Amino acid sequence: MGIVYEAVELESGRTVALKVLAADLSIESEAFERFRREARLAAAISDARCVFVYGAHQVDESPAIAMELVGGETLQEKIARGDVIPIETAVRWTIDVIDGLEAVHRAGVLHRDVKPSNCFGTLDGQVKIGDFGLSRTLERDVELTQSGQFLGSPLYASPEQIRGRVVDARSDQYSCAATLYALLTSKSPFSGSNVGEVLARILSEPPATPRSVRPAIPRRLEKIVLRGMERDPEKRFRDLEAMRAALFPFSSSAAAAATIPRRLGAWLVDFSIIAFTAGYLSALVQTSHGMGSDQARPWLAVPFGTQIALACLPILYFALFEGLFASTAGKWLFGLRVAPVGRGPALPVRTTIRAALYEAPYILLMFPVTFIPNDPVTYAWSSLTIPLGAVLVRLSTMRKRNGWRGPYELLSGTRVVQSKLPFRRLRRAAPPPERAPTPDPALPERLGEYEVLGLVGLTGSGLLMHARDAKLERNVWIQIRTTAPPAGDWRRSLARPTRLRWLECPRAAAIPADVFESPGGCGLADLALRGEPLEWSLAERALVSLAEELARCEEESGARFRGSPNQVWIDRNWNVRLLDEPVPHDDTLMDSTELLGAAAHALLAVGPRRELPPDLPVHAEALVRALTGSAEPFTDLGAARTALTDSQAAAASVERRHRSSQLAVSTLLISIFLAFSFVLYLVFRNVVPHAIEMHALLDELQEGSALVVADGQNLKELKKGSRGPVLDEEGLRLRQIALSYELSNGIGPNVMVGIEPGPRELCDRALQEFPNPSEAEMESAMARIREQRHGRIDQSALPWDWITLDKVIAGFVAAGAALWTMAALISCCGWPGGLSFRLFGLSIRSRNGRRARRWLGLVRVLAFGLPLTAGYAGSVWLLVSGFTWGGWALFVLTAAAHVAGVVLSIATPSRGPVDRLLGTRIVPR
């Protein structure tokens, strides 16, 4: 479209990047309209990660745009130089690009030309996104190109953009992922001898995997890049925020070591998965193994070789998931991952070694079990001491100074780190109250090219007016200088996001004046009048940026900063802007730490009625108390700045994943009872009837008579068993065939016989006489036996005939709710919120912002657990009393309320239904 020069504004002396429309395009109305639109769209965006537009000019009858000059290289220049860009640096630059694109999208604009040459590096190592020549608003589709004409850079354009289809923010996501691909591999994702070939490959072929070009790229990072470049937009990340969250763990190699409570919680989840899987496989082995189990130790249901195989199950589990994903299910729930330490083999190799070393103590200690004498007590004692000894070995080298690394981690070159975001993903908050300009008839209607809209306020230099730039369609502030000279060269060149950008001096103004960008929003005093605390994540960001700006001011002046709270302005995006003068004028001056404290008071609405913000994390409590004066204040700005920066490294609010994991662990007991109730259902419906009939065969063989059972005769009478006629040879043969089949292929000896010698001898004899009968022989034998009995054994009247299946299920659920409530109450005596809150690093605050005491935690448990326990217990009572429909109706209603409470708690993780009732708030520790 044009040529970009480094230029100097003659009037202001400011160095800018001047983009001039090419001479052969300036006469084309279409090109001119696109150029003018770029200026307007770019001028509407003011963000630290976007190149700022100062104004529009005319150069030799060609339109030109004056933009911020970014001092570093473009990312394309870095790629073209051939340097291998570190993986962490490439990811960090991409996150900067994502931040800029989010600001672009918030302004209602699609970039449509994200590529390395449009990403500009700053002198401090950050990246800004620029060049909005191909942008268009999200609100309307302005056709400025010929039908079917493609606009954009083909190497990084999305497939839907190439096809000319409607594009959305996911198109910019594709281009951003393609840019990251180029940073990681030093080459574009697609190449060809001409543009047509490149476009065809983008539409029909997947890019070469980044690891095929650079094997050092982590597999998980490769998957993130390829997901962002999916041809189908539906398969990409849901938004740029999700993509940034996925990339963040790779933006720095200095992740914090995982804490012991989180590792313990992750281990509990992984242990439950492994134990459930091992128990299920053990049951399969036990059932299918028949009478071949160890006869010397009948209490040992699973053979020793099988136990060794099951002991290797954790090796497979940890090696597989940590090698592929650097995280298991438990570690993912608790925000942990396995990271390599130092140079060495790839992570999958290390995690395999790590898993083998982790399980080795247990396997080595379990080996002597084969020599334990025939003594159940000794065997049971060893079953307790062996796991304990393995745990002690694993914990033997864990120290805080080595990042809590066990011997299996030291030897394998791995460690467990926290992968949670150190910053809080900002929720979309309503903009701050906008200070409307005050009408003043004394103000002029126009000032040069600007339409005056009203008065912002009085300053020490003169009037501060609100005006409209019709050329770029944006609002500006105009500072009339009646008692002070216009801004000097230093102020005109100041381009920090925490200060207002100087734009120009009005050419037609009769008195000195300066034009600044209009930040929108309101002053700190206006915000304080609301009396409502700002969400901590927003307030924390504002305080950090204010501290950084105050520190820069002190560095530049060489003296302590003194200013007024009326100099602190909150713009339309909740960013802090430090004004040159108080608005309105105020003679009250504070030093930097006092000013920071005043900002904390206004942003957090701290006062007599509210000691602390209700959503304040525990780790930030000392910081806020020091800022607001309720504790020993900071000695200087440096200490406050360091404390604010450190606070950003921890969670600012509770995430849904975090809360759902905590709820899953805290309700584990009642979940076990629900699962056990389902197992009982399957057992009652399938296993029990079959086992009863097999026990009847044993009774018949043991008594030596053919017991003919009439309809309605129950199992209790059968076991008393009046002797019938002696079994003939055919009856004996049929029963032995059925028993042999069941012992070898059916429900197994443990369900059949236990350890009584009589039934065991009958089973041994059946196995010897008829080894491995077929299924057809089994069915034929059972059919003949049932003919002799005149039907099946009747199980409708069991010894516990007053219990039915629905009563059993409802009873177990009610017992689970009651036990959960009791366990939670006992747990709350140790920690407010219970053990699960402690494991997941959560705490509770009351209405006034104070940390909740134990009694409030007990009230929370009772408010949730008592209604559920009463509902489930009431349904059991109705079922036992014969009110079947009423019992099941109450049971369903209670279960629905239970599920709704959990869903609402996950939907609003910091304020579930009980918290709304009690006025409490769940916060990170």
Side-chain angles (χ1 to χ4, degrees), residues 458-464 477 479-481 483-484 499 516 564 566-569 578-586:
L458 295 174
T459 69
S461 300
L463 298 177
L464 182 62
W477 281 1
Q479 175 69 67
I480 302 297
R481 305 289 188 180
T483 61
R499 302 295 291 270
F516 296 91
S564 167
N566 288 340
Q567 285 182 253
V568 181
W569 193 273
L578 186 65
L579 306 181
D580 296 341
E581 300 177 82
V583 180
H585 180 68
D586 184 8

Side-chain angles (χ1 to χ4, degrees), residues 276 668-682 812-813:
F276 176 82
L668 183 62
L669 185 62
I670 193 171
S671 300
I672 291 174
F673 272 82
L674 287 171
F676 189 63
S677 301
F678 180 71
V679 172
L680 280 180
Y681 173 82
L682 297 178
F812 267 96
V813 175

Side-chain angles (χ1 to χ4, degrees), residues 143-460:
E143 284 295 338
L144 298 176
T145 61
Q146 299 175 4
S147 177
Q149 181 179 359
F150 167 71
L151 286 178
S153 302
L155 293 178
Y156 301 94
S158 66
E160 61 268 26
Q161 184 178 354
I162 293 173
R163 292 190 176 100
R165 297 178 180 175
V166 177
V167 298
D168 55 21
R170 292 173 296 185
S171 177
D172 284 349
Q173 180 190 139
Y174 177 97
S175 301
C176 185
T179 299
L180 176 57
Y181 184 106
L183 291 173
L184 293 172
T185 62
S186 299
K187 58 182 292 187
S188 59
F190 298 94
S191 60
S193 57
N194 54 66
V195 173
E197 183 179 353
V198 173
L199 297 181
R201 287 183 174 178
I202 294 175
L203 296 176
S204 61
E205 300 178 7
T209 60
R211 284 176 53 82
S212 65
V213 182
R214 185 178 179 182
I217 298 173
R219 293 183 185 274
R220 288 178 61 216
L221 180 58
E222 179 184 68
K223 291 181 179 179
I224 293 170
V225 175
L226 296 179
R227 181 179 176 183
M229 293 183 62
E230 285 281 356
R231 287 199 295 271
D232 182 1
E234 296 296 331
K235 295 182 179 180
R236 298 172 198 159
F237 292 96
R238 66 178 183 275
D239 52 28
L240 286 170
E241 183 182 18
M243 182 177 176
R244 177 178 57 189
L247 286 174
F248 189 83
F250 303 96
S251 64
S252 174
S253 58
T259 60
I260 290 298
R262 284 191 184 177
R263 293 192 66 170
L264 176 60
W267 178 82
L268 288 174
V269 174
D270 291 330
F271 175 78
S272 300
I273 295 174
I274 294 172
F276 176 82
T277 306
Y280 179 75
L281 295 176
S282 176
L284 288 181
V285 172
Q286 177 184 352
T287 301
S288 61
H289 198 271
M291 292 298 295
S293 60
D294 193 344
Q295 298 297 319
R297 294 187 298 275
W299 60 88
L300 184 57
V302 181
F304 177 74
T306 306
Q307 287 201 66
I308 292 294
L310 293 176
C312 294
L313 180 64
I315 299 178
L316 178 63
Y317 174 81
F318 287 110
L320 179 64
F321 286 98
E322 292 179 350
L324 293 178
F325 310 107
S327 183
T328 59
K331 290 183 177 65
W332 179 81
L333 286 174
F334 283 82
L336 307 177
R337 64 183 176 91
V338 177
V341 178
R343 296 184 177 181
L347 185 61
V349 177
R350 299 192 190 202
T351 54
T352 303
I353 298 172
R354 165 193 171 91
L357 294 174
Y358 174 85
E359 195 64 14
Y362 178 76
I363 295 177
L364 293 175
L365 292 172
M366 192 181 68
F367 183 75
V369 170
T370 53
F371 306 104
I372 294 176
N374 189 1
D375 183 359
V377 176
T378 306
Y379 178 80
W381 177 252
S382 65
S383 299
L384 295 175
T385 56
I386 288 175
L388 179 60
V391 170
L392 292 176
V393 172
R394 294 163 184 165
L395 299 177
S396 59
T397 62
M398 287 190 176
R399 303 289 187 275
K400 185 176 182 179
R401 61 176 179 270
N402 66 8
W404 304 108
R405 296 171 68 193
Y408 56 97
E409 294 173 313
L410 294 173
L411 294 174
S412 62
T414 59
R415 65 183 185 130
V416 180
V417 298
Q418 298 179 179
S419 61
K420 285 182 61 61
L421 301 179
F423 56 85
R424 182 65 207 143
R425 292 177 291 179
L426 298 177
R427 298 172 185 169
R428 292 187 177 182
E434 189 85 13
R435 179 188 287 186
T438 304
D440 190 340
L443 297 177
E445 292 185 1
R446 299 190 64 85
L447 191 64
E449 300 178 352
Y450 300 98
E451 177 188 357
V452 178
L453 302 178
L455 184 66
V456 178
L458 295 174
T459 69

Side-chain angles (χ1 to χ4, degrees), residues 542-553:
L543 291 171
V544 169
S545 59
L546 178 58
E548 295 286 347
E549 176 58 30
L550 293 174
R552 290 194 191 98
C553 291

Side-chain angles (χ1 to χ4, degrees), residues 589-764:
L589 297 180
M590 301 179 177
D591 63 22
S592 53
T593 54
E594 292 174 335
L595 186 58
L596 199 60
H601 269 283
L603 294 172
L604 302 175
V606 175
R609 295 184 178 181
R610 184 181 291 111
E611 185 176 332
L612 291 168
D615 67 336
L616 182 68
V618 174
H619 64 79
E621 183 172 324
L623 163 67
V624 172
R625 288 188 181 277
L627 286 176
T628 56
S630 59
E632 185 69 23
F634 291 109
T635 55
D636 53 29
L637 179 62
R641 181 184 177 189
T642 301
L644 282 166
T645 304
D646 293 342
S647 175
Q648 284 193 305
S653 60
V654 181
E655 298 179 8
R656 286 193 178 95
R657 185 187 72 176
H658 208 182
R659 178 73 164 126
S660 59
S661 303
Q662 179 268 326
L663 286 171
V665 171
S666 66
T667 57
L668 183 62
L669 185 62
I670 193 171
S671 300
I672 291 174
F673 272 82
L674 287 171
F676 189 63
S677 301
F678 180 71
V679 172
L680 280 180
Y681 173 82
L682 297 178
V683 169
F684 269 75
R685 286 293 174 91
N686 300 292
V687 178
V688 169
H690 199 49
I692 289 174
E693 194 156 27
M694 291 301 103
H695 274 282
L697 293 180
L698 282 172
D699 287 339
E700 292 169 2
L701 286 173
Q702 195 168 10
E703 293 181 1
S705 61
L707 187 59
V708 180
V709 182
D711 291 343
Q713 186 174 5
N714 60 30
L715 181 63
K716 185 181 273 187
E717 296 172 349
L718 177 63
K719 287 201 171 185
K720 290 178 181 177
S722 58
R723 290 185 178 274
V726 178
L727 288 175
D728 56 15
E729 290 185 4
E730 182 187 7
L732 178 63
R733 182 180 65 84
L734 293 174
R735 285 160 177 77
Q736 288 180 331
I737 290 174
L739 283 174
S740 178
Y741 181 86
E742 287 298 331
L743 292 169
S744 302
N745 305 292
I747 59 179
N750 290 326
V751 178
M752 294 281 295
V753 297
I755 59 173
E756 298 178 9
R760 188 174 294 278
E761 292 175 1
L762 292 173
C763 293
D764 290 341

Side-chain angles (χ1 to χ4, degrees), residues 3-10 12 14-21 35 38-40 42-45 51-59 62-70 131-132 469 471-472 474 501-504 507:
I3 303 173
V4 182
Y5 298 95
E6 179 178 348
V8 176
E9 288 182 342
L10 298 179
S12 66
R14 177 175 54 195
T15 303
V16 298
L18 188 68
K19 184 172 184 178
V20 183
L21 187 64
F35 193 82
E38 177 189 4
R40 290 175 176 174
I45 301 169
V51 176
F52 186 79
V53 172
Y54 291 114
H57 300 271
Q58 195 85 5
V59 177
S62 294
I65 302 174
M67 299 175 291
E68 172 189 2
L69 179 65
V70 185
D131 199 345
F132 299 89
D469 183 352
K471 184 188 298 183
L472 293 178
R474 68 180 176 186
R501 304 251 188 180
W502 183 89
L503 302 179
E504 63 174 349
R507 297 179 181 84

